[in-house]
Amino acid sequence: MASDGTMANGNGRDTGDGAPVSKRQRFGAAQDSPLRTPKEPHNKVTVVLGAQWGDEGKGKVVDLLAMDADIVCRCQGGNNAGHTVVVDSVEYDFHLLPSGVLNKKAVSFIGNGVVIHLPGLFDEAKKNLEKGKGLQGWEERLKISDRAHIVFNFHQAVDGLQEQQREQQEGKNLGTTKKGIGPAYSSKAARNGLRICDLVSDFKVFEEKFRMLATHFQMMYRNLNVDIEAELQQLKIYAEKLRPLVTDGVYFMHKALTGPSKRILVEGANAALLDIDFGTYPFVTSSNCTVGGVCTGLGVPPSHVGRVYGVVKAYTTRVGVGAFPTEQDNETGDLLQSRGREFGVTTGRRRRCGWLDLILVRYAHMVNGFSAIALTKLDILDTLPEIKVGVAYEVDGHPLPSFPANMDVLTRVTVEYKTLPGWQCSTEAARSFDELPSQAQNYIRFIEDFLQVPVKWVGVGKSRESMIKLF
């Protein structure tokens, strides 16, 4: 203790204010450095994700938000996804291109997490150009990450062969789209895949790697026919077409996030219950289509993820095989299928239909942390006298506290339903919440109360004008 009652520092020097000199200096330095002052991210991405098994109507929600967006991104999946958007009475189908490409003022970006089948990409653009003027000038507003992996024709052939093998060995397949997505992601994980940056660099080096990869698959699948020379010729042409579109994706996103104010939208493909980790495995896709895929598929830091909107169909559908607790293999299912025109955009397969499963949607919310919900296709329920909603699962008479990971368990669940009165009148002309029948309003409120997530939009038709904004 100093003789005048003040504290001395460790070196015996009197500080005069009761604080050691060294500590006081460090505190002052922290205050002086702007780098040590916590800052909110300048720009955040808004994310739109499917909350069921896909086909929820994400394209319509993205199209709505993309009108004001500066950048619209795809972060995962490939042309196994399918989004339909109706603009000026023209129906556009998208599989690889972000739906936001219809906004001529926005840049569309295909991120590193996407696997790209180049013939599919250019064919998709061509078909949509023939439908209407919406896609004119698409090449000038599309950017593709140099780190995105390529789906080759032999990946698609292998996808078909694998499905045949599963059918022969186990008597059942996974119901893939046969677009080569799984084999392409397998190449990526095996570290022998090829990326866009390889294609647009030295083509001789690319050719050598391509031959090695094709041979690798030919050795694994004796029945695989690969026309290596023809595909290389085709790829050489695509390399020239692609070159102006390719960019360093990490730098592109960093500049967008840290530069001047921008509205950045991320369009999820597939859906939560098809996620490779959190979905109904093994009847899932090969990528992360939950919110984590935004960070890994675009190079976006988690702190830059803003609002996450979950898209929920007012009932449930599923394409292909796999457990489906609320499926209605009866007249109700047929009615939902016919009224909802439930055929896959990518495969044309008839979708299985059933009641809304809120246990499933709540699970999707646990994984994604939805800021709000977009409830689509409410009008499809217009003719029903009563509507059921799945609110709990039981197995062997015992309640399940959570959504099961084991698909053998999920196939055995008994669903507890809440029955709500239908409205039995058309909702298609409604343009506000108050214009909806009271029973439809109660249906929406029931969903909000169960999930503890607000419903921000309600879809009552095919066009963007039919999306009612609630707040």
Side-chain angles (χ1 to χ4, degrees):
M1 183 74 73
S3 58
D4 62 356
T6 58
M7 294 292 292
N9 69 6
N11 296 323
R13 287 165 51 209
D14 188 356
T15 65
D17 63 357
V21 172
S22 57
K23 286 187 179 178
R24 189 175 62 194
Q25 285 173 339
R26 281 200 295 272
F27 179 77
Q31 293 286 46
D32 293 340
S33 172
L35 294 176
R36 295 174 185 170
T37 305
K39 287 186 292 188
E40 272 293 305
H42 187 54
N43 292 325
K44 290 190 175 187
V45 299
T46 298
V47 185
V48 177
L49 299 172
Q52 294 156 300
W53 276 297
D55 309 309
E56 302 93 349
K58 295 180 291 294
K60 192 185 301 178
V61 180
V62 169
D63 178 54
L64 196 70
L65 295 172
M67 290 190 293
D68 300 318
D70 299 299
I71 301 172
V72 184
C73 314
R74 272 281 306 271
C75 63
Q76 45 70 224
N79 60 340
N80 58 333
H83 296 164
T84 302
V85 179
V86 180
V87 179
D88 298 328
S89 301
V90 179
E91 192 172 285
Y92 297 95
D93 293 328
F94 296 108
H95 304 276
L96 268 168
L97 289 168
S99 304
V101 75
L102 293 170
N103 178 358
K104 291 181 169 59
K105 295 178 182 176
V107 175
S108 288
F109 177 58
I110 297 177
N112 60 277
V114 180
V115 289
I116 304 171
H117 182 245
L118 296 170
L121 175 70
F122 288 101
D123 186 52
E124 178 183 327
K126 182 185 174 187
K127 284 180 179 176
N128 280 301
L129 274 169
E130 290 168 357
K131 291 181 177 183
K133 297 178 180 179
L135 223 68
Q136 284 180 353
W138 67 276
E139 303 102 319
E140 295 164 17
R141 52 185 189 272
L142 178 68
K143 295 291 178 189
I144 299 175
S145 172
D146 53 356
R147 289 173 170 83
H149 277 251
I150 302 170
V151 180
F152 297 112
N153 292 338
F154 59 73
H155 281 131
Q156 296 193 335
V158 165
D159 205 352
L161 289 171
Q162 287 178 343
E163 283 287 80
Q164 285 177 18
Q165 285 182 356
R166 292 185 195 104
E167 187 68 45
Q168 290 165 2
Q169 293 168 6
E170 301 173 32
K172 60 182 179 181
N173 54 37
L174 294 180
T176 78
T177 58
K178 299 179 185 176
K179 297 292 183 181
I181 308 304
Y185 276 118
S186 295
S187 292
K188 179 178 179 176
R191 290 159 293 178
N192 59 10
L194 289 167
R195 303 188 292 177
I196 295 293
C197 59
D198 300 311
L199 178 61
V200 298
S201 297
D202 187 330
F203 194 80
K204 285 185 179 178
V205 175
F206 173 85
E207 182 180 333
E208 185 181 331
K209 291 178 179 177
F210 177 86
R211 289 182 187 278
M212 286 175 63
L213 183 59
T215 303
H216 166 75
F217 275 105
Q218 283 177 313
M219 289 173 67
M220 288 176 66
Y221 299 92
R222 296 297 180 188
N223 295 332
L224 177 64
N225 295 314
V226 183
D227 191 337
I228 292 176
E229 303 308 322
E231 192 161 356
L232 278 169
Q233 237 178 357
Q234 189 185 44
L235 286 163
K236 198 166 190 177
I237 295 167
Y238 286 134
E240 296 310 310
K241 284 186 174 184
L242 272 181
R243 196 164 274 113
L245 313 180
V246 178
T247 189
D248 182 326
V250 173
Y251 180 70
F252 173 82
M253 287 305 300
H254 177 74
K255 206 163 92 170
L257 292 166
T258 59
S261 180
K262 287 189 187 299
R263 291 188 182 95
I264 306 168
L265 182 63
V266 181
E267 173 183 352
N270 315 117
L273 274 295
L274 294 174
D275 184 278
I276 185 71
D277 287 300
F278 299 109
T280 47
Y281 190 90
F283 303 103
V284 293
T285 191
S286 304
S287 62
N288 287 115
C289 27
T290 44
V291 71
V294 174
C295 299
T296 57
L298 291 172
V300 171
S303 58
H304 283 272
V305 176
R307 296 191 178 278
V308 180
Y309 296 125
V311 185
V312 179
K313 195 179 283 185
Y315 49 102
T316 309
T317 61
R318 180 165 199 176
V319 169
V321 292
F324 186 170
T326 62
E327 182 174 14
Q328 299 299 298
D329 190 11
N330 51 30
E331 288 181 4
T332 300
D334 292 341
L335 183 140
L336 294 171
Q337 200 279 329
S338 60
R339 279 185 57 79
R341 293 173 60 197
E342 295 295 351
F343 294 94
V345 177
T346 300
T347 62
R349 288 181 293 182
R350 189 180 192 270
R351 294 176 188 142
R352 299 152 63 193
C353 298
W355 297 119
L356 178 62
D357 185 339
L358 286 182
I359 308 101
L360 181 151
V361 178
R362 182 174 59 191
Y363 169 71
H365 172 51
M366 289 177 187
V367 175
N368 291 294
F370 297 133
S371 310
I373 294 292
L375 185 68
T376 61
K377 302 188 85 164
L378 184 74
D379 56 303
I380 305 307
L381 306 179
D382 284 352
T383 62
L384 293 166
E386 63 178 30
I387 299 162
K388 293 184 178 182
V389 181
V391 294
Y393 289 165
E394 279 188 1
V395 171
D396 300 330
H398 301 289
L400 278 181
S402 59
F403 190 83
N406 189 305
M407 287 308 99
D408 294 329
V409 174
L410 190 64
T411 55
R412 290 168 40 227
V413 301
T414 302
V415 181
E416 179 187 327
Y417 290 101
K418 171 74 174 177
T419 302
L420 300 168
W423 41 94
Q424 293 186 281
C425 63
S426 177
T427 56
E428 290 181 28
R431 291 298 176 264
S432 70
F433 185 75
D434 292 338
E435 291 177 18
L436 291 170
S438 60
Q439 297 92 333
Q441 293 180 16
N442 291 337
Y443 186 69
I444 295 163
R445 289 193 185 102
F446 181 84
I447 293 166
E448 289 182 315
D449 290 342
F450 187 94
L451 298 175
Q452 289 297 290
V453 182
V455 173
K456 189 176 179 70
W457 297 277
V458 177
V460 290
K462 292 182 70 175
S463 66
R464 62 165 66 132
E465 293 77 21
S466 67
M467 291 296 288
I468 302 169
K469 189 174 181 180
L470 275 56
F471 66 92

